[in-house]
Amino acid sequence: MAEGFRLRVCFRKAGRLRYLSHLETGRAWERAARRAGLPYAVTQGYNPRMKVAFGPALPVGTAGMREYLDITLTRFVPVAQVQEGLGASIAEELAPVECGYVSPAEPSLASRLTIAEYEVELERGVPPQELERSLDALMRTGGFETEHKGKQKFFDLAVALPKEPEVMSDAGRAAVRMWVRMGPHGSLRPETFMSAAIGPGRPVAVTRTELFIEDEQGWIRPL
Amino acid sequence: MNDVWERVEPLLRQVERPARYVDREWGVVRRPDAGYHVALMYPDTYEVGMANQALQVLAARLSTLDDVACERVFIPWVDMSAAMRAHEVPLFTLESCTPVAEMDILGITLPNELTYTNVLEALDLAGIPLRAHDRGETHPLVVGGGPCSHNPEPMAAFFDAILVGDGEEALLEIVASHRASMAAGLSREESVRALAGIDGVYVPSLYLVGDDGVVRPVDDAPARVTRRVLADLDTYVSPTCPVVPYADVVHDRATVEVLRGCSRGCRFCQAGMVYRPVRERPADSIVRDAIASLRCTGYEELSLTSLSTADHSQLEEVLRRLANRLEGTGTAISVPSLRLDSFTVPLARLLGDGRKAGLTFAPEAGSQRLRDAINKNITEEEILTAVDQAFTAGWRRVKLYFMIGLPTETDEDVTAIAALVERVFAAARAATPPGERGGLRVAVSVSTFVPKAHTPFQWDGQLPIEEVRRRQVMLRQAMPRKGVELSFHDAGSSLLEAVLAKGGREAAAGVEAAWHAGAVFDAWSEHFSLARWTEALASAGIDAAAYAAEARDRHGALPWDHIDSGLSPAFLRAERERADRAETTADCTFGDCTGCGVCPGLGVDVVVAGGERRG
Ligand code: SF4
């Protein structure tokens, strides 16, 4: 077993389980892999652990439609079989969406996934036109300052947002689709952006709908 | 049934660790259409409560009943309870998010005295009147159980019924009785009265406390409530598909109970007295349930639990078989606490294969005289040998538990703890290769003795708190500093524990006053206030310090005399006298019966997995 088989799982974190933390979600997946009886590889040494790695953390309360994890298997198991096994071993709210194998040489998900797409839902009462105006106004400033853990932090929107946010409206309910660049120094949280645009305290539901790898050809999906 | 999720959800954005409140874990059984709804509550946070094995056992037993739903309830953390009160969201069950007040029965385990105010907090959040006699026809029956049922009096007023002893069969009988009462259209009072007909069930409203302090039945209720005891643990499988939490709970692992009871006979230990006799599960069942549980839960760790797992007559065989089956899966096997004298080299190797969690040993006392007085049948040589073996086998951390304030303790006994720790450290160091000595740690945890009902020390007073503090300082000064981490349990909490452990019915008013004054999560040091409790108890006419310190007449009445644990008072008195003479009493599991009275009194026998039975 030189490198093993690197299985990539795309999964959801939805419904009530969006209230799980990154750690809790990770643990849930490790246990699902055990319940599914996958031939997972374990690390060597003192404290053997399953070889599994996750994409960028999703905050407590934020849902995800296409989150990722990589798990190293000691044996090849057909993709359909893996997906069925995992699907039957984890809560519906965390269900696997898609599975596939990637090269064991592939760099880690956390380092490769640099673009996140979000959908931010706003409470009723923000008319789409007004929302559009607020976002435009903020985008025109080029950046904004916000307080984070007692420190002032400046977000340069040209860097933080690789694409202009879009306003969507559906049956009177306004939503924003936005794309955020993630880096080693953290990323702009959609909640922070929205409160800079329309003021703090508006309850919002945030869903990370996609994660992308950014390379010369553009944005590509990890699977 | 009203699902209140829509009202709970908005609160989750403002609280810590919302995973505590969302349900949807792996292994949850949901029966929304059942005709009868049981809520099982552990009076602490989700993280603490989910580790409780008794609730898992009871939930698994209830799941065998048709048409019965069993749902979990824990105490919301202070941020959540504040949000719930602000938005008028009642306490809800996890599985169906139904208000607890809409359940048919609410079962509450009482794990220790410091959870008492949490029970009141839960009842209040649920909108259920605190006192049993204030409840109406539509309120659920509130039934208690667990370790504190052995002195139920301080909490008696808040419960409709309290089960004493093993719940596997009794809980099902309680449910059956209540369902029959409901079907027959009986009133709440009649339903509660019917429960008194079940062995082991105490219905406080049917008893009065006399001027002499004796609790007596008012009419035809039994004069004494006899503890329920399951004769053979192997009658039921250990729960193999328990709920697997997402949140990081206290003992986040698969568990198999390998034996119940412990008859080593430590004289301060209530569990060792009230869970007699020893009943071992056979190796085949343990291995079968362990493998099934790991498969069903996906846990990465398995714990073989009991009061004294290393005492199991087939433990080595069990560990060997499990190690074979689990090879290459990265699954660790742990044993919660080890007896020093049953720690052996093969055992060290078998456990050393897994993750090397630290070892915990409980010598309890520093001097041989005091260890003999409390019947901790262990010599210093055995302690040092065990430490040597553990560190030779690769362990680098050991945690030692001691107690201050044990009956007959002197200053010499206290400083002897430091001397013992010093020798343990030296033995550990000698067994550790020089290059690895940097990681060597001896943790020493010192608690305060609390006199408990149904033990040979039940008549003793607790050492006054000033004296406890003086001995703590003395111990700290005598303790070696290098490589030793010393920690003390808060003496104030131990004082409260003593008052409630010894207390009679009159203590209920104190518990209620303390809760009204804001006491909740008393087991969490950041929420505990001795001053608040002292005041609350004083308002109920109890001088906490004097009450805890008072020694009782060994022939007089005790508040728990109507609870029959099976132990004979003569045995307890004789054990108390032997303590004064520092005379030990042998373990009856493998030796002769020492006459505690439990086996003949309750009609059970010691069960040793090898098939041999002694009674
Ligand atoms: S009656 Fe005898 S054998 Fe049974 S638990 Fe007591 S001492 Fe042990």
Side-chain angles (χ1 to χ4, degrees):
Chain A
M1 196 223 6
E3 291 280 2
F5 299 86
R6 180 116 148 242
L7 176 76
R8 180 159 291 174
V9 181
C10 169
F11 64 95
R12 311 192 279 163
K13 182 188 152 202
R16 297 183 184 201
L17 294 187
R18 70 182 177 283
Y19 290 104
L20 300 190
S21 68
H22 187 56
L23 210 76
E24 289 163 351
T25 312
R27 214 172 11 229
W29 270 102
E30 288 186 34
R31 287 174 184 165
R34 287 172 187 272
R35 290 191 289 261
L38 289 189
Y40 55 86
V42 295
T43 58
Q44 294 296 304
Y46 187 67
N47 190 350
R49 295 197 60 95
M50 184 181 293
K51 281 192 186 169
V52 56
F54 292 85
L58 201 51
V60 174
T62 304
M65 298 319 291
R66 296 186 64 87
E67 297 298 304
Y68 295 90
L69 66 90
D70 281 357
I71 175 167
T72 306
L73 302 185
T74 57
R75 257 186 307 108
F76 178 82
V77 183
V79 168
Q81 196 181 322
V82 170
Q83 192 166 337
E84 199 194 308
L86 286 175
S89 306
I90 196 152
E92 215 181 290
E93 291 86 346
L94 294 176
V97 176
E98 207 179 332
C99 297
Y101 285 96
V102 297
S103 157
E106 175 93 351
S108 78
L109 280 167
S111 67
R112 289 279 275 162
L113 294 171
T114 53
I115 304 285
E117 179 188 278
Y118 290 95
E119 233 172 77
V120 185
E121 228 182 285
L122 302 175
E123 62 169 343
R124 280 170 211 279
V126 184
Q129 298 84 346
E130 187 196 315
L131 187 58
E132 197 114 30
R133 271 195 300 276
S134 311
L135 291 185
D136 277 349
L138 179 62
M139 290 307 286
R140 268 198 302 276
T141 63
F144 66 93
E145 253 197 15
T146 178
E147 210 185 273
H148 180 72
K149 288 183 183 154
K151 266 191 277 179
Q152 286 299 114
K153 192 170 169 161
F154 181 75
F155 283 103
D156 179 349
L157 289 174
V159 179
L161 304 186
K163 205 167 154 179
E164 291 266 317
E166 291 169 6
V167 173
M168 306 178 297
S169 85
D170 177 26
R173 202 176 184 118
V176 174
R177 174 168 297 157
M178 58 184 292
W179 294 266
V180 174
R181 182 169 279 117
M182 299 178 288
H185 307 298
S187 58
L188 174 57
R189 286 186 63 166
E191 291 90 336
T192 313
F193 175 76
M194 291 310 298
S195 66
I198 60 173
R202 304 254 192 179
V204 287
V206 184
T207 303
R208 185 152 78 186
T209 43
E210 292 266 14
L211 285 163
F212 296 102
I213 295 169
E214 193 177 18
D215 72 2
E216 303 84 55
Q217 290 121 56
W219 296 357
I220 54 172
R221 282 185 169 171
L223 258 179
Chain B
M1 305 261 104
N2 281 307
D3 184 336
V4 293
W5 173 253
E6 295 284 314
R7 292 162 64 199
V8 171
E9 219 243 293
L11 310 182
L12 298 182
R13 296 185 204 129
Q14 350 161 355
V15 300
E16 275 177 42
R17 307 196 201 181
R20 290 164 167 168
Y21 314 107
V22 300
D23 185 70
R24 297 300 186 266
E25 302 96 326
W26 186 254
V28 166
V29 179
R30 205 169 288 115
R31 289 181 183 163
D33 303 325
Y36 187 86
H37 286 79
V38 184
L40 286 184
M41 184 177 101
Y42 189 93
D44 209 315
T45 61
Y46 176 94
E47 288 86 341
V48 178
M50 282 299 290
N52 186 261
Q53 225 179 336
L55 285 189
Q56 293 176 14
V57 168
L58 297 178
R61 291 290 299 130
L62 287 169
S63 73
T64 63
L65 298 179
D66 283 338
D67 206 28
V68 171
C70 171
E71 314 211 349
R72 295 165 296 154
V73 185
F74 302 102
I75 311 298
W77 189 240
V78 291
D79 56 353
M80 183 64 168
S81 57
M84 287 165 67
R85 286 197 170 98
H87 293 88
E88 294 179 8
V89 175
L91 187 67
F92 54 91
T93 64
L94 288 181
E95 279 76 1
S96 65
C97 215
T98 302
V100 170
E102 292 179 24
M103 298 272 124
D104 294 304
I105 192 166
L106 168 60
I108 304 177
T109 180
L110 296 169
N112 62 65
E113 293 80 5
L114 298 181
T115 62
Y116 285 179
T117 52
N118 290 2
V119 171
L120 303 195
E121 172 79 352
L123 291 171
D124 180 67
L125 280 170
I128 299 172
L130 302 186
R131 297 210 171 225
H133 63 66
D134 292 330
R135 292 179 195 139
E137 292 300 322
T138 61
H139 292 118
L141 295 191
V142 181
V143 178
C148 292
S149 65
H150 294 95
N151 175 21
E153 289 311 294
M155 290 299 280
F158 311 116
F159 284 91
D160 295 299
I162 295 174
L163 167 68
V164 184
D166 295 336
E168 275 95 341
E169 286 162 354
L171 179 60
L172 271 56
E173 292 166 26
I174 290 169
V175 166
S177 163
H178 188 215
R179 298 193 80 184
S181 298
M182 284 166 76
L186 299 189
S187 69
R188 178 183 192 87
E189 202 190 321
E190 290 162 327
S191 311
V192 169
R193 182 177 288 265
L195 295 182
I198 298 169
D199 288 342
V201 175
Y202 170 50
V203 174
S205 58
L206 302 181
Y207 294 76
L208 286 177
V209 189
D211 292 338
D212 53 0
V214 176
V215 179
R216 291 188 187 85
V218 277
D219 47 25
D220 55 353
R224 298 189 80 202
V225 177
T226 305
R227 169 170 71 97
R228 282 299 284 266
V229 50
L230 184 63
D232 184 358
L233 227 53
D234 215 33
T235 313
Y236 309 107
V237 295
S238 181
T240 49
C241 290
V243 174
V244 183
Y246 295 116
D248 197 1
V249 307
V250 177
H251 298 298
D252 201 10
R253 55 201 179 197
T255 51
V256 176
E257 186 184 19
V258 299
L259 66 92
R260 198 171 294 177
C262 168
S263 46
R264 294 263 179 182
C266 297
R267 290 177 181 134
F268 57 83
C269 178
Q270 189 187 47
M273 292 291 157
V274 302
Y275 294 120
R276 289 171 175 229
V278 165
R279 290 147 287 161
E280 293 186 352
R281 226 182 250 283
D284 287 347
S285 310
I286 296 169
V287 173
R288 175 200 66 204
D289 292 352
I291 299 295
S293 177
L294 287 167
R295 203 167 276 158
C296 194
T297 60
Y299 272 120
E300 52 287 321
E301 186 178 343
L302 169 75
S303 183
L304 301 174
T305 64
S306 75
L307 288 172
S308 189
T309 298
D311 282 343
H312 193 286
S313 60
Q314 297 172 314
L315 183 64
E316 279 180 35
E317 181 196 332
V318 168
L319 289 174
R320 239 188 315 275
R321 285 168 63 181
L322 286 173
N324 278 336
R325 299 278 297 267
L326 298 174
E327 215 193 314
T329 61
T331 308
I333 305 175
S334 65
V335 167
S337 73
L338 283 171
R339 287 277 314 190
L340 287 158
D341 47 358
S342 39
F343 189 85
T344 60
V345 177
L347 202 61
R349 288 222 185 84
L350 284 164
L351 287 169
D353 283 346
R355 220 171 301 166
K356 288 193 177 107
L359 281 185
T360 54
F361 292 132
E364 307 291 1
S367 71
Q368 193 61 47
R369 186 207 63 79
L370 188 53
R371 279 197 300 274
D372 289 344
I374 62 173
N375 205 37
K376 194 90 203 178
N377 282 310
I378 187 174
T379 65
E380 179 158 326
E381 199 190 322
E382 285 169 320
I383 296 172
L384 297 177
T385 309
V387 168
D388 173 66
Q389 291 183 347
F391 282 74
T392 304
W395 265 278
R396 293 293 168 261
R397 277 163 192 273
V398 61
K399 186 163 188 179
L400 302 171
Y401 287 96
F402 291 96
M403 238 184 257
I404 266 187
L406 285 159
T408 79
E409 183 184 81
T410 63
D411 283 5
E412 287 73 58
D413 295 315
V414 177
T415 45
I417 296 175
L420 177 61
V421 169
E422 194 162 355
R423 285 191 287 275
V424 164
F425 187 79
R429 194 167 183 279
T432 304
E436 294 174 31
R437 284 178 188 163
L440 198 155
R441 287 283 174 284
V442 178
V444 177
S445 172
V446 184
S447 60
T448 307
F449 164 72
V450 177
K452 294 272 184 163
H454 307 277
T455 68
F457 292 154
Q458 63 180 348
W459 298 280
D460 284 85
Q462 188 179 49
L463 206 59
I465 193 163
E466 305 75 34
E467 181 57 18
V468 171
R469 296 217 163 107
R470 186 188 67 83
R471 292 188 196 185
Q472 286 180 343
V473 170
M474 187 169 66
L475 180 55
R476 188 176 290 284
Q477 282 164 350
M479 191 62 75
R481 292 199 173 31
K482 218 178 130 257
V484 176
E485 291 159 9
L486 174 64
S487 64
F488 290 102
H489 270 244
D490 174 45
S493 326
S494 303
L495 168 62
L496 173 62
E497 272 183 77
V499 172
L500 297 177
K502 295 173 73 177
R505 241 177 228 206
E506 71 283 3
V511 175
E512 201 174 336
W515 173 77
H516 275 297
V520 69
F521 289 114
D522 289 306
W524 299 68
S525 53
E526 70 265 39
H527 286 287
F528 177 74
S529 158
L530 181 60
R532 177 164 53 200
W533 266 102
T534 316
E535 221 173 278
L537 287 163
S539 74
I542 297 170
D543 174 343
Y547 198 93
E550 188 203 5
R552 284 175 169 146
D553 176 1
R554 291 185 201 166
H555 292 274
L558 294 168
W560 48 87
D561 278 343
H562 58 300
I563 303 297
D564 179 9
S565 58
L567 294 153
S568 92
F571 170 80
L572 293 178
R573 261 192 300 270
E575 281 293 289
R576 182 62 191 84
E577 282 154 21
R578 274 178 228 135
D580 280 334
R581 298 192 300 268
E583 276 174 29
T584 61
T585 300
D587 184 347
C588 64
T589 314
F590 302 102
D592 293 333
C593 171
T594 55
C596 80
V598 167
C599 294
L602 304 183
V604 284
D605 275 328
V606 172
V607 180
V608 176
E612 217 176 327
R613 282 169 182 243
R614 292 179 190 82

